[in-house]
C-alpha cells in the first residue's frame, strides 16, 4: 500500500494488534516474524529503515569470540547459529570472511575470564596465543555439527609473515578463522520489510513516522514528512527504538525506568590501496595497545577500520570526534607498521550507539552484549503492555525478534505457526549456490530481458535474485548509465524509487546503495539524482533544492564528507 494510503487507513480505523516503534533490524525482524504468523502489525520508523545502530555496526556477522572472555556463552552460541543461518538465508548479503588475529604474546590474558567472573577485572590484560587458542577451539566446538566454514588454524611467525608480509615482525604467531560479514545491512533491513508486507497485507511499515506521545489508550504518531499527526490504538506495543528506547518509553507514557546505557562506536572508510593489499582479503582482528579489540576490514576497493566504545547519553549526538579519528588511524601501525595512513585517505566515516543494557561505571567493553526483553505490563494507566528490546547483536536479530514476537503472540493469545529459521530474505530467495547454477540463472535472465551478461552479473552481485525484477523493469524502458556514476543506470534508480520506500536523496545514497559509503558521492551526482527523483516522484524545484541541501548537510555533519 502506498504510504499515504496506509496513513489514511489508520485515520479511518486506528485499531491495530501490534505497534512496533523503531525500524532497525530488531524492530523489522519482529515485524517480519509477526507478519508471517498472521498478526496485523504496524511498524513506524522516525527516519529511514535501518538508519540507527543497525547502520553503524562493524558489518560483522559473528559469534563474537571476545564475549567468551565475559562468560557470554549463550550469546556466542546463539550468534554462531544465527551467523550460519544468515549465510543460508541471505547469501546475497552475508559472506564468509577469513579473519586473522596477529598475536604478540604466548601466555598473557589467561586470567581475564576468571578475574572477570570474580568481578576483579575492569580492563582485560593482553590476550596471548594460548587464550586465543582456547577461545577459537571453543568457537569451532560450538558449530561442530553444522560446520558451514573451515576450522581455525595457527601459523608460527615465519609462515604468518610469508602470508601477510606487511604484518608487524614483532608477532610470535597468527591465528585465522572464519566468520561472516555483510556489506549492506541497510538493504537487509529494507528487504525484510518488503518481504513482511508481501507476506501479510495487514502489515505495513512506514519510514519517517515517529511515535511522539501516548495517552494510555492510544499512541500518537507524527508523519515527519509533513507534520500530520495520527492516533493509533494498539493491543501491544514493541519498543524497538534501540539506543532511543528510554526516550520513546518516556514519550509514550511508559517511562520511569532506565533500560539503556549507550556506547558510541565510530568507523572510518579509507581509500588506502596499500592497506587493502596488506590485509589480503582477510579481516585483521587485533587487540590495540589499550586492550580494546579493533578491526581492519577490506571493504570492496576501500578499507574499514573501527571501532571505539565510549559512553554517550544522547544517541542523536553521536558523531566521530577528532580524538577518535586519531585513535583509529594510529591503531593501524600496531599491525602494519610500514603502511602510512592519514586523514587525506578518509572517504567516509560513521558513528552509532550500541543499545546496551543499563549499567553504571565500569569498562564499556565489559558490558554484556546479550539481548533481553523488558516488559511493562498493561495497567490501569495504560491499556497495552510495552515490550522493550534491549541490546543484542545484529547477528542474532532473528532469534531476538522471534522472542519478541512470541511475547506479542502470547499477549494476543495467538499460536506461532511459522518459524523464520529457514526463511530466505529478499534477493536471497532461490539463490543459485554454485557457479553452474548462477550461470544458468543469468543465462535464463539474459534470454528474457536481452540485457548484456556483464550488466546482469553486476545486478546479481548488487541485489541477489532481486536482480530478476530489476532487470525486467530496466528492460521495458529507455535506460542509460548515469552520467556521474556510470555503474548505475537511470532505470535501476527508478526501480528503487518506485519499489523501495525511498523518500529522500540520502535514502538512496546512504542505504539503498553503497555509493556514499565508498566515497563516491559528488555534487554532480547529487544534482543528477535530484533530477531523476523530481521526474519520478513529482518533486518541484523548491523540494529539489531543499533535498540537495539536506543530503549535503547530512554527509558533512554525520559522515565528515565535504562536497
Ligand atoms: C559501533 C557499533 C558496532 C557494532 N558492530 C556489530 C557487529 O559487527 N556485529 C553485530 O552483530 N552487531 C554489531 N553491533 C550491534 C548492532 O548493530 C545493534 O545491536 C543492532 O543494530 C540494534 O538494532 P535495533 O533495531 O535494536 O536498533 P536501531 O538500529 O538503532 O533501531 C532503532 C530505530 O528506532 C528509531 N526510533 C527512535 N525513536 C523513534 C520514535 N520515537 N519513533 C519511531 N522510531 C524511532 C531509530 O530511528 C532507529 O532506526 C554494533 C553496534 C554499533 C553501534
Amino acid at each position: 500500500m502506498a504510504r499515504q494510503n496506509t496513513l489514511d487507513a489508520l485515520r479511518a480505523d486506528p485499531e491495530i494488534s501490534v505497534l512496533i516503534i523503531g525500524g532497525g533490524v530488531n524492530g523489522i525482524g519482529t515485524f517480519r516474524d509477526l507478519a508471517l504468523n498472521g498478526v496485523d502489525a504496524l511498524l513506524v520508523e522516525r527516519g529511514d529503515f535501518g538508519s540507527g545502530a543497525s547502520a553503524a555496526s562493524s558489518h560483522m556477522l559473528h559469534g563474537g569470540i571476545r564475549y567468551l572472555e565475559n562468560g557470554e556463552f549463550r550469546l556466542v552460541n546463539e550468534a554462531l547459529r544465527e551467523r550460519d543461518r544468515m549465510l543460508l538465508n541471505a547469501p546475497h548479503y552475508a559472506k564468509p570472511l577469513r579473519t586473522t588475529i596477529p598475536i604478540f604474546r604466548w601466555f598473557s590474558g589467561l586470567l581475564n575470564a576468571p578475574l572477570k567472573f570474580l568481578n576483579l577485572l575492569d580492563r582485560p590484560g593482553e590476550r596471548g596465543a594460548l587464550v586465543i587458542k582456547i577461545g577459537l577451539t571453543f568457537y569451532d566446538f560450538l558449530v561442530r555439527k553444522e560446520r558451514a566454514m573451515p576450522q581455525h588454524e595457527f601459523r608460527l611467525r615465519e609462515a604468518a609473515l610469508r602470508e601477510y608480509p606487511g604484518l608487524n615482525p614483532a608477532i610470535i604467531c597468527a591465528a585465522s578463522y572464519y566468520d561472516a560479514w555483510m556489506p549492506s545491512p541497510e538493504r537487509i533491513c529494507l528487504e525484510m520489510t518488503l518481504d513482511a508486507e508481501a507476506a501479510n497485507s495487514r502489515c505495513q511499515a512506514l519510514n519517517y513516522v515517529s511515535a511522539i506521545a501516548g495517552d494510555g489508550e492510544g499512541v500518537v504518531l507524527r508523519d515527519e514528512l509533513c507534520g500530520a499527526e495520527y492516533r493509533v490504538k494498539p493491543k501491544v506495543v514493541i519498543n524497538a527504538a534501540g539506543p532511543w528506547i528510554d526516550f520513546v518509553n518516556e514519550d509514550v507514557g511508559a517511562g520511569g525506568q532506565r533500560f539503556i546505557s549507550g556506547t558510541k562506536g565510530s568507523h572510518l572508510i579509507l581509500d588506502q590501496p596499500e592497506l587493502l593489499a596488506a590485509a589480503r582479503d582477510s579481516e585483521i582482528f587485533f587487540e590495540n595497545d589499550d586492550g580494546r579489540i579493533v578491526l581492519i576490514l577490506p571493504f570492496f576497493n576501500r578499507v574499514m577500520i573501527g571501532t571505539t566504545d565510549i559512553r554517550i547519553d544522547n544517541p542523536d549526538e553521536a558523531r566521530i570526534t577528532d580524538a577518535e579519528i586519531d585513535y583509529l588511524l594510529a591503531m593501524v601501525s600496531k599491525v602494519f607498521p610500514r603502511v602510512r595512513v592519514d586523514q587525506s585517505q578518509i572517504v567516509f566515516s560513521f558513528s552509532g550507539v550500541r543499545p546496551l543494557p543499563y549499567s553504571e561505571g565500569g569498562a564499556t567493553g565489559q558490558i554484556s552484549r546479550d539481548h533481553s526483553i523488558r516488559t511493562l505490563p498493561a495497567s490501569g494507566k495504560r491499556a497495552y503492555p510495552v515490550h522493550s528490546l534491549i541490546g543484542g547483536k545484529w547477528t542474532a536479530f532473528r532469534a531476538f525478534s522471534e522472542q519478541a514476537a512470541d511475547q506479542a503472540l502470547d499477549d494476543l493469545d495467538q499460536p506461532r505457526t511459522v518459524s523464520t529459521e529457514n526463511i530466505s530474505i529478499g534477493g536471497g530467495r532461490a539463490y543459485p549456490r554454485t557457479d553452474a547454477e548462477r550461470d544458468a540463472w543469468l543465462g535464463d535472465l539474459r534470454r528474457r530481458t536481452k540485457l548484456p551478461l556483464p550488466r546482469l552479473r553486476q545486478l546479481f552481485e548488487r541485489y541477489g535474485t532481486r536482480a530478476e525484477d530489476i532487470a525486467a523493469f530496466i528492460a521495458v524502458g529507455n535506460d542509460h548509465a548515469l552520467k556521474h556514476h556510470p555503474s548505475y543506470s537511470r532505470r535501476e534508480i527508478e526501480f528503487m524509487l518506485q519499489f523501495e520506500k525511498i523518500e529522500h536523496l540520502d535514502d538512496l545514497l546512504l542505504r539503498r546503495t553503497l555509493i556514499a559509503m565508498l566515497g563516491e558521492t559528488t555534487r554532480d551526482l547529487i544534482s543528477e539524482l535530484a533530477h531523476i527523483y523530481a521526474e519520478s516522484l513529482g518533486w518541484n524545484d523548491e523540494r529539489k533544492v531543499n533535498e540537495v541541501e539536506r543530503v549535503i548537510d547530512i554527509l558533512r555533519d554525520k559522515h565528515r564528507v565535504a562536497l
Side-chain angles (χ1 to χ4, degrees):
M1 212 189 290
R3 189 172 184 281
Q4 193 53 50
N5 295 349
T6 304
L7 288 165
D8 292 344
L10 284 174
R11 179 88 76 210
D13 177 8
E15 310 249 337
I16 44 174
S17 289
V18 182
L19 171 67
I20 299 167
I21 303 172
V25 69
N26 289 323
I28 290 173
T30 308
F31 178 65
R32 178 178 78 135
D33 196 311
L34 289 172
L36 290 165
N37 280 288
V39 174
D40 59 300
L42 174 71
L43 180 146
V44 292
E45 162 54 52
R46 75 169 186 171
D48 190 19
F49 302 113
S51 59
S54 298
S57 81
S58 299
H59 292 57
M60 300 288 302
L61 291 165
H62 61 164
I65 181 163
R66 183 175 79 71
Y67 312 136
L68 291 175
E69 186 176 84
N70 291 359
E72 302 203 77
F73 303 115
R74 195 213 69 79
L75 169 66
V76 176
N77 193 14
E78 179 181 78
L80 280 172
R81 265 158 236 292
E82 293 302 326
R83 175 199 74 184
D84 290 352
R85 283 201 178 105
M86 283 298 279
L87 290 168
L88 289 172
N89 293 334
H92 58 321
Y93 292 141
K95 309 282 177 190
L97 175 67
R98 186 157 190 259
T99 299
T100 291
I101 310 179
I103 303 171
F104 294 85
R105 297 268 179 280
W106 287 112
F107 296 111
S108 33
L110 276 172
L111 293 179
N112 283 350
L115 288 177
K116 159 83 182 142
F117 183 71
L118 295 171
N119 229 356
L120 294 174
L121 184 76
D122 200 32
R123 204 196 103 180
E126 183 174 353
R127 291 104 176 152
L130 192 57
V131 166
I132 293 169
K133 178 78 190 165
I134 294 169
L136 287 175
T137 305
F138 193 65
Y139 215 61
D140 280 340
F141 175 78
L142 289 174
V143 289
R144 67 198 178 283
K145 289 206 185 104
E146 48 299 87
R147 180 169 309 291
M149 292 182 289
Q151 283 178 276
H152 80 269
E153 55 181 8
F154 263 72
R155 267 146 308 136
L156 290 173
R157 179 175 178 275
E158 282 64 34
L161 289 175
R162 259 197 309 280
E163 189 177 358
Y164 299 94
L167 269 185
N168 190 337
I171 58 165
I172 53 150
C173 64
S176 292
Y177 66 103
Y178 275 82
D179 253 323
W181 74 298
M182 47 175 179
S184 306
E186 302 88 348
R187 283 204 61 87
I188 303 179
C189 287
L190 173 86
E191 291 189 1
M192 284 200 293
T193 307
L194 298 177
D195 287 353
E197 289 185 339
N200 183 341
S201 59
R202 295 181 309 138
C203 286
Q204 303 297 327
L206 297 166
N207 48 0
Y208 299 103
V209 172
S210 302
I212 56 165
D215 57 19
E217 282 259 308
V219 175
V220 181
L221 308 177
R222 182 173 60 217
D223 181 347
E224 297 296 345
L225 299 182
C226 65
E229 291 185 7
Y230 301 80
R231 184 169 171 273
V232 291
K233 291 173 75 180
K235 294 193 181 100
V236 180
V237 170
I238 298 204
N239 180 350
W244 291 272
I245 277 177
D246 292 334
F247 297 86
V248 166
N249 277 338
E250 205 59 54
D251 288 346
V252 302
Q257 279 192 62
R258 191 160 168 200
F259 291 147
I260 298 287
S261 289
T263 71
K264 177 178 66 153
S266 300
H267 293 82
L268 297 175
I269 304 284
L270 303 181
D271 178 8
Q272 181 16 328
E274 227 188 306
L275 182 59
L276 185 63
R280 305 203 63 220
D281 288 337
S282 307
E283 177 199 21
I284 309 294
F285 201 49
F286 61 101
E287 179 176 335
N288 202 10
D289 293 332
D290 58 356
R292 295 212 54 256
I293 306 290
V294 288
L295 60 92
I296 296 175
L297 175 69
F299 200 92
F300 300 96
N301 58 343
R302 309 291 193 222
V303 186
M304 179 196 289
I305 61 176
T307 176
T308 49
D309 200 4
I310 303 165
R311 284 185 190 268
I312 184 169
D313 286 330
N314 184 354
D316 287 329
E317 290 169 2
R319 303 284 187 281
I320 193 167
T321 60
D322 290 341
E324 283 178 282
I325 293 179
D326 291 345
Y327 174 88
L328 292 171
L329 290 176
M331 81 191 200
V332 172
S333 64
K334 163 130 195 188
V335 283
F336 294 120
R338 293 193 301 274
V339 176
R340 295 279 152 254
V341 287
D342 64 53
Q343 301 225 6
S344 70
Q345 297 155 353
I346 302 172
V347 297
F348 190 77
S349 68
F350 56 100
S351 284
V353 176
R354 303 173 183 87
L356 303 182
Y358 180 66
S359 72
E360 286 201 15
T364 49
Q366 313 272 304
I367 306 173
S368 168
R369 263 43 178 181
D370 208 346
H371 52 77
S372 60
I373 301 175
R374 300 291 297 268
T375 297
L376 301 166
S379 64
K381 285 203 207 135
R382 202 183 42 253
Y384 43 80
V386 178
H387 302 291
S388 298
L389 311 192
I390 318 291
K393 302 296 297 169
W394 218 111
T395 312
F397 83 86
R398 194 210 60 81
F400 191 18
S401 302
E402 188 172 83
Q403 289 154 24
D406 279 340
Q407 296 263 5
L409 288 168
D410 256 13
D411 294 333
L412 299 169
D413 210 11
Q414 273 185 237
R416 169 173 290 282
T417 52
V418 175
S419 161
T420 52
E421 272 182 13
N422 300 316
I423 294 191
S424 301
I425 295 173
R429 251 188 304 281
Y431 192 82
R433 303 270 165 182
T434 62
D435 288 353
E437 281 173 14
R438 192 200 52 221
D439 290 349
W441 190 90
L442 288 170
D444 179 52
L445 194 56
R446 164 140 179 69
R447 271 186 294 286
R448 286 187 280 133
T449 60
K450 311 278 183 275
L451 296 186
L453 258 185
R455 173 69 170 137
L456 291 175
R457 211 169 278 126
Q458 179 185 52
L459 293 174
F460 177 74
E461 290 299 320
R462 256 177 213 161
Y463 309 106
T465 53
R466 191 167 165 75
E468 189 172 354
D469 292 345
I470 300 173
F473 181 87
I474 289 174
V476 296
N478 281 329
D479 197 26
H480 57 79
L482 297 191
K483 186 162 169 224
H484 299 290
H485 200 307
S487 91
Y488 283 86
S489 79
R490 181 176 173 120
R491 293 280 292 172
E492 183 179 354
I493 302 295
E494 284 173 352
F495 178 91
M496 289 188 263
L497 293 179
Q498 278 197 35
F499 301 108
E500 297 201 337
K501 294 179 179 272
I502 287 178
E503 300 296 336
H504 292 293
L505 282 170
D506 43 289
D507 299 341
L508 185 102
L509 287 166
L510 284 161
R511 288 171 293 277
R512 303 300 179 276
T513 70
L514 291 172
I515 293 175
M517 192 153 171
L518 294 174
E520 296 169 350
T521 318
T522 58
R523 273 185 183 255
D524 284 340
L525 175 63
I526 292 175
S527 304
E528 186 176 6
L529 288 173
H531 181 71
I532 299 174
Y533 269 61
E535 290 192 351
S536 254
L537 305 180
W539 285 1
N540 60 22
D541 285 348
E542 189 191 349
R543 174 95 195 255
K544 247 165 75 173
V545 170
N546 290 343
E547 288 285 343
V548 169
E549 276 174 17
R550 174 190 152 95
V551 73
I552 289 173
D553 272 359
I554 291 174
L555 286 170
R556 185 185 50 236
D557 177 38
K558 295 195 171 165
H559 305 287
R560 291 227 184 179
V561 174
L563 295 176

